[in-house]
Amino acid sequence: MTGSRLARSDLSAPSPTTVVTREDIVMSGSATIENVLNEFPQLAAGNTSSVNNGGGSGVLTANLRGLGATRTLTLVNGRRFMPANSDGVVDLASIPDALIENVEIITGGASAVYGSDAVAGAVNFILRKDFEGIEAAYTHGQTAEGDGAYDKFDLTLGGNFADDRGNAVLSISRTERDAILQGWRDFSRVPLDTVDGELVPGGSGSVPGTRIGLSGAQLDSLVGVDLAPSGACSAITGIRFGEGGTPLPYCSPQDAYNYADLNYLQRPLERTQVTALANYKINDAVEAYGEAYYSNSRNEYQQAPDSFTPVTPGAPSSTLLVPNYAINPVLLPNVRRFLSDNTHIFDPDGDGVAEIVGSGRRADELGPRFYTYERVSYNLVGGLRGDFEAGGGHWWRWDAFMQEQRTRTDTTNNNQINQARLSQALDATVDADGNLVCVHQASGCVPASIFGLGSIDADAAAFLTPQRASYEIFDRTVAGASMSGTLFDLPAGSVALAFGAEYRKDEYRFQPSAMDVSGDYGATSQSPMAGEYSVRELFAEFRVPLLADARFAHDLAIEGAARYSDYSTIGGVNTWKLGAEWAPSDWFRLRSAFNVAIRAPSLNELYAPRTRGFTAGVDPCTAAANPNAAQQQLCIQQGVPAADLPNFTQGSVGFERTTGGNPDLTEEKSETFTVGAVFSIPAVEGLNFAVDYFEVEVEDAITSITANQMLADCFSRVDPAAPSCQAIVRLPNGQIDDVRSTLQNIGLLKASGLDFQVDYGFAVPWGIGGGDGRVSLALLTSWLFERSMEVIADQGELDCAGYMGGGCGGGTGNIMIPDLKLNMSAGYRSGPLSLRLQGRMIDKFELRPGITAAVTESPRQWYFDANAAYDFNEHLQLFAGVDNVFDRQPPILGTALAGDANTDVGLYDVLGRRYFFGLRVKF
């Protein structure tokens, strides 16, 4: 049983445990298993196939209690599985779902049993054993819109050998899935920004032809530009270059670029898996076993054409230098004239080099950006296990194993502007033959200008966008040994003990392109990274039965576990747990456990280089945020021109954020308390209930203050000297250039709530062919009282359970956390027929108090699924199903609350009604 090395069933475990059956997985028809897991109420949404740019390399994760994927330990057959990235988390797409027997989800801390990372709990995938025969399956699915099709092929072969002393299984799986674009759904086709408390069509301030953001005073001083808008215009925040490089007023949000339609709502996927399992009894007491896993997964995400702030590497932040602008032949005449007429803005020192600060360009001439990730992983396991009698009828089991794991991810970025090459291309001249050429012709330079619609031709595009390739490798070595058995007998039963040792070494390295290393991409250039750590651990677990078959004590026992871990990075740490279970009768059982767990910082958290990336958010200085007088004064002190207030308008849907690792991090420390009851009704056979209260607190949580949290803290303090205010960097026109933060042990995470489960199975007289049938009913729900985080000591806790806005959700990988999730199902089986109906509910969200937004509530969402299977004979089964039967569309929240797709793509069903069907053949 997951969460203990002492065998027991899920209803008698002292920590709450939920079992996902093989039937749940098979009948779901899902191409990837994260969709099945996320339907269970104990899990908040993790990274899913619908998360586009916020999903990074496409690692699909489990996220218990909404505490984060790094605090949920993923196991296969009770052992750590292949890590997929520098955080060491497992890609659920690499687990061979065709071989899964069941999945056990333990929601109490489990670090004492399994070590670091099990702060929120563990998810253990248990594979089928001793398979014999041949089983082949094919599944096809697509949405009701006719898109997002997938095909999944599974072949499993197994059999015994050596007079049934051994068994070997080989499983091969291939999955291919098509993409779905945001432009193919009404709710995500156009980004919706907030203006005057309403959702209006908006987009990005990086536009074709280039936009230059200007302050009100700069706009007033412009020469040679007609600022009269040609249509509706909420606010003029700068100028843009149109046909022929003509300077035109930039109206926000009317002139914003619709970046949404080319983004993915479902990532495409190609995946091949090969799994081999074998065991062989050397003798009656010793068995050798081996496991080999191979996974090749290729996924990608796509974005609108490159959106960038043109910069010259080495120049001040967000500054592009244009040499010889007055005579530069690569510039269109209208552009040269504009820069020459406005030297007081762009060349105040008169050196002949224009300084363009805070501009935004959408390279629509290049086509969409796409990022391809090919992840190749293997995991080799070998070991010996056996059992022996120690005397007095006390049996002991032992297990010793080794694991070697490697994951390599190759990343290819296409259609991204190389900023160094852009600066090179802008520095042009006319040669002796009258040809337009680069002054510096290295790397096959082709002259190019970014000022004006269609100003980048095909040759220039090819020069500006060399393929940007990188790779990362994660190596892991694990060795472990354990024993478990019974020591002696007490009147109430045997005292059980388990103990063992484990060694683990993790190594990671990341190598970006040579162009990144030389800084060609400016602030977004990537740096090499390498790091490693090792840990040596000792652990023990016990269970002592105190009473059995006594009055008011059908069963009473206590148990505990302890683990000592010696890390090469953080030193020695201790974890432990203590639990008790009391069954006054054979139909009623109380259980409780207290866990003290830790999470060591990951290699990414320790050694990640400083990186800069985009995040969605609202500038508190904008008119939409309604800043008070004191806050407006702070805006002025930070660099917002006073003349632009109180009508200051944000130039884009977010801003840049810089973050990175910290080698001085220490471990997170957590305490988890659970108490609950498991009971049945003696008069109603097959009816079982479980209810559990949980409380988790994580101190010294590794986190960085998000950009929105940093802004909220700064503008609540209204003190320009406060650290959060010092972290905000603005351009001369007042727009936010960067919000800077690094990882620290500053977080306090809390989660508490109530889990409730009921299942009821009973026979019915109406069956196929006059026989009986069987009905199974189940209800699982999780009520989250609190899911809070405190990152700034004197600013209180931010409770995000059931709330949105103000640091709760926000898209780009930040998922909203519902305070109530429910999953109910009804199944019917009779002879060859199986039917199943499922209802899933995500409770409503309210806007956090004090936050201004166009949407104040996200309504409760219900989804219903139906599927069926029919066995024509013992060899052939057909199955089919419909997910989201009523085609329930996600709530529209807008970009400020939910990111690029106007809704939370990790939480809600964004694909709509979809169908699947398939067949399974067995021999």
Side-chain angles (χ1 to χ4, degrees):
M1 165 55 57
T2 305
S4 173
R5 299 177 191 272
L6 308 172
R8 53 166 57 85
S9 72
D10 69 319
L11 292 181
S12 66
S15 294
T17 304
T18 299
V19 177
V20 184
T21 68
R22 175 170 177 76
E23 184 179 19
D24 292 329
I25 298 168
V26 170
M27 295 290 277
S28 73
S30 294
T32 51
I33 199 169
E34 95 279 3
N35 294 322
V36 182
L37 291 184
N38 287 338
E39 291 173 356
F40 282 77
Q42 294 89 345
L43 286 104
N47 200 33
T48 73
S49 301
S50 290
V51 180
N52 190 46
N53 55 312
S57 63
V59 177
L60 308 179
T61 59
N63 180 12
L64 284 169
R65 306 298 190 202
L67 293 174
T70 57
R71 299 179 183 91
T72 298
L73 181 62
T74 301
L75 308 167
V76 173
N77 285 343
R79 290 182 289 270
R80 291 175 182 260
F81 203 56
M82 302 178 291
N85 59 20
S86 54
D87 277 317
V89 299
V90 172
D91 183 4
L92 299 181
S94 67
I95 296 173
D97 50 9
L99 284 176
I100 294 174
E101 184 65 35
N102 56 58
V103 185
E104 296 178 345
I105 304 169
I106 179 171
T107 52
S111 283
V113 177
Y114 295 116
S116 179
D117 305 333
V119 169
V123 179
N124 187 18
F125 294 83
I126 299 173
L127 305 186
R128 301 161 76 179
K129 298 178 181 178
D130 298 328
F131 178 85
E132 293 185 72
I134 300 174
E135 180 177 304
Y138 166 70
T139 307
H140 174 81
Q142 67 179 39
T143 74
E145 302 289 335
D147 53 27
Y150 68 89
D151 296 282
K152 187 171 185 289
F153 305 85
D154 298 305
L155 176 65
T156 303
L157 309 91
N160 294 337
F161 61 90
D163 298 326
D164 293 336
R165 294 172 64 185
N167 179 267
V169 179
L170 176 66
S171 180
I172 303 172
S173 179
R174 172 70 179 177
T175 304
E176 297 179 1
R177 184 182 65 202
D178 295 339
I180 298 176
L181 297 180
Q182 287 183 199
W184 298 350
R185 297 295 186 271
D186 289 340
F187 66 85
S188 57
R189 186 169 293 132
V190 177
L192 299 175
D193 296 347
T194 301
V195 176
D196 296 329
E198 300 289 337
L199 290 180
V200 299
S204 169
S206 293
V207 299
T210 301
R211 171 194 60 86
I212 300 178
L214 298 172
S215 69
Q218 289 172 326
L219 286 168
D220 291 340
S221 69
L222 278 179
V223 176
V225 181
D226 181 4
L227 292 178
S230 58
C233 185
S234 298
I236 297 176
T237 61
I239 62 98
R240 60 185 176 90
F241 296 94
E243 295 286 351
T246 302
L248 302 168
Y250 176 80
C251 293
S252 179
Q254 285 80 7
D255 289 331
Y257 179 82
N258 177 12
Y259 55 79
D261 57 342
L262 293 176
N263 288 3
Y264 284 146
L265 267 183
Q266 175 174 276
R267 290 188 178 203
L269 173 69
E270 296 180 17
R271 178 184 63 184
T272 300
Q273 297 170 302
V274 180
T275 305
L277 311 174
N279 58 76
Y280 175 74
K281 284 190 175 182
I282 299 173
N283 53 47
D284 290 341
V286 179
E287 181 181 59
Y289 64 92
E291 302 172 5
Y293 305 87
Y294 168 84
S295 175
N296 183 309
S297 176
R298 180 186 176 92
N299 81 95
E300 65 182 50
Y301 76 84
Q302 178 174 289
Q303 292 179 288
D306 197 8
S307 166
F308 62 99
T309 298
V311 300
T312 298
S317 181
S318 299
T319 299
L320 175 70
L321 303 180
V322 182
N324 302 314
Y325 59 88
I327 59 172
N328 193 326
V330 78
L331 301 179
L332 293 167
N334 285 329
V335 178
R336 293 198 297 266
R337 186 179 305 111
F338 169 76
L339 295 176
S340 298
D341 288 346
N342 293 281
T343 55
H344 60 288
I345 297 176
F346 303 109
D347 187 15
D349 59 4
D351 64 356
V353 178
E355 297 183 6
I356 313 296
V357 181
S359 59
R361 177 60 150 94
R362 181 72 56 172
D364 59 322
E365 301 96 334
L366 309 180
R369 290 165 287 173
F370 56 97
Y371 308 74
T372 302
Y373 303 92
E374 183 170 6
R375 182 175 297 108
V376 178
S377 306
Y378 72 77
N379 178 16
L380 302 177
V381 183
L384 296 171
R385 60 192 173 204
D387 53 28
F388 62 89
E389 186 179 7
H394 296 287
W395 283 88
W396 285 78
R397 295 174 299 175
W398 58 274
D399 188 349
F401 70 94
M402 282 199 66
Q403 289 178 277
E404 284 290 340
Q405 301 172 345
R406 166 170 281 205
T407 296
R408 174 174 173 138
T409 302
D410 286 274
T411 303
T412 304
N413 299 352
N414 294 277
N415 291 344
Q416 283 188 305
I417 293 285
N418 180 305
Q419 299 276 16
R421 291 194 176 192
L422 174 60
S423 295
Q424 184 183 356
L426 280 167
D427 191 6
T429 189
V430 177
D431 66 13
D433 297 325
N435 298 313
L436 181 64
V437 297
C438 299
V439 173
H440 304 285
Q441 298 184 18
S443 304
C445 180
V446 178
S449 171
I450 59 171
F451 303 105
L453 295 176
S455 59
I456 303 175
D457 63 27
D459 291 337
F463 169 70
L464 293 174
T465 58
Q467 193 175 75
R468 187 180 183 185
S470 61
Y471 70 87
E472 57 183 324
I473 297 176
F474 198 122
D475 288 308
R476 171 176 286 170
T477 300
V478 184
S482 63
M483 293 183 65
S484 62
T486 55
L487 287 171
F488 52 86
D489 293 328
L490 293 176
S494 299
V495 174
L497 177 68
F499 60 90
E502 190 169 290
Y503 168 82
R504 185 172 80 256
K505 182 176 183 179
D506 287 354
E507 301 173 88
Y508 176 84
R509 65 183 183 275
F510 168 72
Q511 184 60 47
S513 70
M515 298 174 293
D516 279 279
V517 175
S518 61
D520 283 13
Y521 293 91
T524 62
S525 295
Q526 298 174 305
S527 301
M529 168 187 166
E532 65 176 58
Y533 73 77
S534 61
V535 56
R536 294 172 172 82
E537 300 180 291
L538 298 173
F539 56 85
E541 185 178 359
F542 69 89
R543 182 177 187 273
V544 180
L546 302 178
L547 292 173
D549 299 321
R551 184 176 177 86
F552 301 119
H554 178 74
D555 186 20
L556 177 64
I558 60 171
E559 69 172 56
R563 175 178 288 252
Y564 174 76
S565 305
D566 184 13
Y567 285 86
S568 60
T569 50
I570 59 173
V573 291
N574 296 293
T575 58
W576 56 272
K577 79 166 185 178
L578 188 63
E581 47 188 319
W582 171 41
S585 67
D586 60 357
W587 56 268
F588 184 78
R589 179 181 298 271
L590 297 171
R591 58 188 182 187
S592 184
F594 182 78
N595 290 264
V596 173
I598 66 101
R599 185 180 77 85
S602 70
L603 292 172
N604 178 58
E605 292 165 332
L606 289 168
Y607 304 118
R610 296 287 178 92
T611 58
R612 182 169 171 172
F614 182 82
T615 184
V618 176
D619 186 339
C621 293
T622 62
N626 194 27
N628 59 36
Q631 291 172 330
Q632 290 184 42
Q633 185 60 38
L634 176 61
C635 295
I636 295 170
Q637 292 171 312
Q638 288 188 342
V640 177
D644 290 359
L645 293 168
N647 299 313
F648 180 68
T649 302
Q650 187 170 333
S652 186
V653 295
F655 21 76
E656 298 290 314
R657 176 179 177 236
T658 298
T659 187
N662 180 357
D664 296 324
L665 291 171
T666 61
E667 72 275 9
E668 297 180 344
K669 308 173 187 70
S670 73
E671 295 181 352
T672 302
F673 172 70
T674 60
V675 60
V678 180
F679 57 96
S680 57
I681 307 298
V684 184
E685 184 180 354
L687 180 61
N688 300 299
F689 298 86
V691 58
D692 291 280
Y693 170 80
F694 61 89
E695 189 176 286
V696 185
E697 183 173 307
V698 183
E699 295 181 342
D700 297 328
I702 298 169
T703 187
S704 59
I705 302 174
T706 69
N708 287 309
Q709 288 171 329
M710 193 81 77
L711 291 167
D713 179 69
C714 172
F715 280 81
S716 65
R717 295 178 183 274
V718 200
D719 178 6
S724 55
C725 293
Q726 292 290 310
I728 301 167
V729 181
R730 292 185 182 270
L731 298 172
N733 61 10
Q735 300 292 330
I736 294 177
D737 178 44
D738 192 17
V739 180
R740 297 171 179 171
S741 61
T742 57
L743 292 171
Q744 301 176 62
N745 289 101
I746 57 174
L748 175 64
L749 278 169
K750 291 182 180 180
S752 63
L754 194 70
D755 291 337
F756 178 72
Q757 176 178 343
V758 57
D759 56 79
Y760 183 33
F762 56 93
V764 293
W766 20 279
I768 293 179
D772 288 341
R774 183 160 186 84
V775 172
S776 58
L777 305 174
L779 171 68
L780 291 91
T781 185
S782 184
W783 184 9
L784 202 57
F785 302 156
E786 176 186 14
R787 165 50 181 88
S788 66
M789 186 169 194
E790 181 182 286
V791 293
I792 304 170
D794 58 351
Q795 291 296 302
E797 298 171 355
L798 177 68
D799 186 2
C800 287
Y803 289 104
M804 60 184 183
C808 297
T812 321
N814 298 315
I815 308 299
M816 298 193 317
I817 301 171
D819 59 359
L820 183 64
K821 284 181 70 176
L822 180 149
N823 185 308
M824 60 183 184
S825 62
Y828 170 78
R829 178 184 294 275
S830 177
L833 178 66
S834 297
L835 302 173
R836 186 168 181 264
L837 297 174
Q838 176 179 261
R840 300 173 279 128
M841 188 273 285
I842 300 170
D843 204 14
K844 68 178 181 179
F845 287 84
E846 296 179 351
L847 190 66
R848 281 196 56 79
I851 303 300
T852 301
V855 179
T856 59
E857 182 177 289
S858 177
R860 179 179 295 123
Q861 298 287 304
W862 276 97
Y863 303 105
F864 293 93
D865 314 315
N867 48 59
Y870 189 85
D871 297 319
F872 283 88
N873 52 48
E874 62 180 1
H875 301 300
L876 176 63
Q877 180 191 68
L878 296 183
F879 56 89
V882 183
D883 291 329
N884 195 355
V885 172
F886 299 108
D887 198 24
R888 184 67 182 268
Q889 298 298 297
I892 297 176
L893 306 176
T895 58
L897 291 177
D900 291 351
N902 299 317
T903 195
D904 193 317
V905 296
L907 176 66
Y908 295 115
D909 185 328
V910 295
L911 304 184
R913 184 188 300 119
R914 50 202 180 276
Y915 310 100
F916 69 88
F917 65 87
L919 59 86
R920 182 170 290 101
V921 179
K922 304 177 184 178
F923 297 101

